[in-house]
Amino acid sequence: MKKFLLFSLFAIAILPVMAQKKITQTAGRDQLGEFAPEFAQLNDDILFGEVWSRNDLLSLRDRSLVTLTSLISQGITDSSLTYHLQEAKKNGITRTEISEIITHIAFYAGWPKAWAAFRQAKEVWKEDTSLEDAKTRFQQEMIFPIGEPNTAYAKYFTGNSYLARISGEQVPIANVTFEPGCRNHWHIHHATKGGGQMLIGVAGRGWYQEWGKTAQEILPGTVVHIPAGVKHWHGAAADSWFAHLAFEIEGENASNEWLEPVSDAEYEKVNKK
């Protein structure tokens, strides 16, 4: 019994805790503050200030999904749907996902309601259309997946990158995809023995440069060996998407040191070649 209680307490202690984000809303008071102050207070302080703010229990992304499903199913396509589509985009729902969400809703709520929702969704995500189309075309050029937005390392990149883990056993391998113009910061792979990294170009065109040396073009099939202790960067050409496989070379006391960004001047100089 004591062991069970200790295990239970330990399990509770290690449960991940999501940070609660307080939502501030003023639309009710801005539009109805004088005409319907009670409704405005319920909208701003209760619905958003309390319910939407319980995002430690249900994420903002999931709350957006639930809200859109409810509104579209009721055939509500006024400014409130536009607002929640915009919020859904801010909360991480992509153009591809909203298309699939509304398509799914159509089978339960009706085709006309889905058509009406699509008209508004196209406007909200219209700036993402060219990016998504280019990304889709690039995916067709390679056998490895583009993966998910590389949010964990975004602070070490200029521009948007994507990461797909290919292997986590024996030799760790990841497919890293860069949008045109995207590159990582100068960095060093440290190790007291062994270590370093190897890159193999998969699709598109990119660059690899060591500190003090001329940049090297990376094309599909290009192999780049990066010794431990060498300051370098790699990324896409300015006019091309680019993907490479990254192999982590086993080493003792291995670590990465992230340094300054590659300046626009440095990058433009490379792309003039």
Side-chain angles (χ1 to χ4, degrees):
M1 183 63 178
K2 289 183 179 179
K3 289 183 178 180
F4 175 77
L5 287 174
L6 286 171
F7 175 79
S8 299
L9 289 170
F10 176 75
I12 292 171
I14 64 173
L15 284 174
V17 178
M18 296 173 60
Q20 186 178 33
K21 178 181 178 181
K22 180 69 174 178
I23 304 302
T24 301
Q25 177 64 271
T26 62
R29 290 183 173 87
D30 292 344
Q31 299 178 41
L32 298 171
E34 294 183 5
F35 187 78
E38 184 64 23
F39 180 89
Q41 186 267 332
L42 292 170
N43 182 84
D44 295 352
D45 299 342
I46 305 302
L47 174 57
F48 287 94
E50 294 186 14
V51 178
W52 275 82
S53 291
R54 293 202 298 266
N55 41 77
D56 55 332
L57 302 178
L58 187 65
S59 71
L60 290 175
R61 185 184 186 281
D62 289 344
R63 289 187 185 278
S64 284
L65 177 55
V66 172
T67 303
L68 290 178
T69 302
S70 177
L71 294 176
I72 295 171
S73 296
Q74 296 177 72
I76 297 174
T77 54
D78 59 10
S79 60
S80 62
L81 178 60
T82 301
Y83 169 80
H84 282 289
L85 287 167
Q86 293 169 340
E87 289 301 300
K89 184 178 179 181
K90 292 179 185 177
N91 292 335
I93 293 181
T94 67
R95 174 178 175 268
T96 300
E97 288 172 331
I98 193 60
S99 176
E100 186 64 20
I101 288 167
I102 298 175
T103 299
H104 189 90
I105 292 172
F107 284 90
Y108 294 89
W111 230 244
K113 294 175 181 177
W115 267 107
F118 268 126
R119 293 189 187 98
Q120 289 178 256
K122 282 180 64 178
E123 285 298 309
V124 173
W125 274 270
K126 65 181 178 181
E127 294 180 358
D128 294 351
T129 301
S130 59
L131 173 63
E132 286 294 325
D133 289 345
K135 181 180 172 185
T136 299
R137 288 194 299 270
F138 186 68
Q139 176 65 85
Q140 295 170 353
E141 295 181 28
M142 61 178 175
I143 60 174
F144 298 106
I146 287 178
E148 299 299 322
N150 190 12
T151 53
Y153 291 88
K155 62 183 178 181
Y156 304 123
F157 282 71
T158 298
N160 297 316
S161 66
Y162 303 83
L163 183 67
R165 290 288 179 188
I166 306 302
S167 172
E169 300 179 8
Q170 294 184 306
V171 179
I173 306 172
N175 185 42
V176 186
T177 299
F178 304 76
E179 292 177 4
C182 175
R183 66 273 188 188
N184 52 32
H185 295 186
W186 290 99
H187 59 287
I188 301 172
H189 303 292
H190 291 289
T192 54
K193 183 179 180 181
Q197 190 179 53
M198 182 173 72
L199 309 177
I200 299 180
V202 171
R205 187 169 71 94
W207 296 104
Y208 166 77
Q209 185 177 27
E210 294 183 5
W211 185 258
K213 294 186 179 182
T214 302
Q216 172 187 346
E217 186 179 44
I218 307 179
L219 297 172
T222 300
V223 180
V224 178
H225 298 280
I226 308 171
V230 173
K231 183 177 179 179
H232 66 284
W233 68 269
H234 37 101
D239 59 355
S240 175
W241 283 71
F242 172 62
H244 65 56
L245 293 179
F247 296 76
E248 299 175 26
I249 308 304
E250 186 177 357
E252 295 179 7
N253 302 310
S255 64
N256 288 341
E257 180 184 6
W258 290 98
L259 304 168
E260 73 275 14
V262 178
S263 70
D264 290 342
E266 290 174 307
Y267 183 70
E268 288 172 8
K269 184 177 179 181
V270 168
N271 280 277
K272 286 180 180 178
K273 298 178 184 234

